Amino acid sequence: QVQLVESGGGLVQAGGSLRLSCTASGRTFGLYTMGWFRQAPGKEREFVASITWNGGSTDYGDSVKGRFTISRDNAQNTVFLQMNSLTPEDTAVYYCARRRGGTSLSHSATDFSSWGQGTQVTVSS
């Protein structure tokens, strides 16, 4: 069972930036599509971004397009989420996830079978 460990969350003022990292255990990281999701209190889990196994394709949720960038370093078993121009609406627990089989992008949380423990991002106004 793969283990995913997120880091990089914290408190930032509106307009600021944060970079999240997610490091995976094992030797198969480079074979899988990876994704980032977030969940704010009282809200459904929301798709943020996903990236194919080789980084060749990416996709973003509408609310973060143009502000967030997903990338990966397969040699380091790590996927990143660069978050710029943050607003209080971005406050949530951010989770990284590994897609269940397949190599295509996905917006659906049900397509991801392995999840990290989450990292809190809080944006103050």
Side-chain angles (χ1 to χ4, degrees), residues 8 44 46 67 70 72 77 84 99 113 119 125:
E44 299 276 327
E46 176 188 14
R67 300 187 300 122
I70 188 171
R72 67 191 296 162
N77 277 17
N84 299 329
R99 199 188 192 294
S113 57
T119 186
S125 57

Side-chain angles (χ1 to χ4, degrees), residues 70-91:
I70 188 171
S71 61
R72 67 191 296 162
D73 182 343
N74 287 347
Q76 299 295 324
N77 277 17
T78 301
V79 60
F80 304 97
L81 186 68
Q82 177 67 43
M83 305 187 295
N84 299 329
S85 302
L86 286 161
T87 74
E89 287 68 39
D90 294 315
T91 295

Side-chain angles (χ1 to χ4, degrees), residues 35-117:
W36 286 96
F37 292 78
R38 67 186 183 186
Q39 189 164 19
K43 293 190 175 181
E44 299 276 327
R45 188 164 294 193
E46 176 188 14
F47 169 74
V48 175
S50 63
I51 186 167
T52 51
W53 65 276
N54 62 351
S57 294
T58 57
D59 197 12
Y60 298 91
D62 288 341
S63 61
V64 306
K65 279 181 183 175
R67 300 187 300 122
F68 290 12
T69 303
I70 188 171
S71 61
R72 67 191 296 162
D73 182 343
N74 287 347
Q76 299 295 324
N77 277 17
T78 301
V79 60
F80 304 97
L81 186 68
Q82 177 67 43
M83 305 187 295
N84 299 329
S85 302
L86 286 161
T87 74
E89 287 68 39
D90 294 315
T91 295
V93 177
Y94 283 71
Y95 300 90
C96 77
R98 191 183 79 173
R99 199 188 192 294
R100 181 198 319 274
T103 56
S104 60
L105 298 169
S106 175
H107 283 214
S108 175
T110 58
D111 286 335
F112 292 80
S113 57
S114 300
W115 294 81
Q117 82 289 349

Side-chain angles (χ1 to χ4, degrees), residues 7-20:
S7 61
L11 174 65
V12 63
Q13 288 189 331
S17 298
L18 280 176
R19 189 191 197 206
L20 305 184

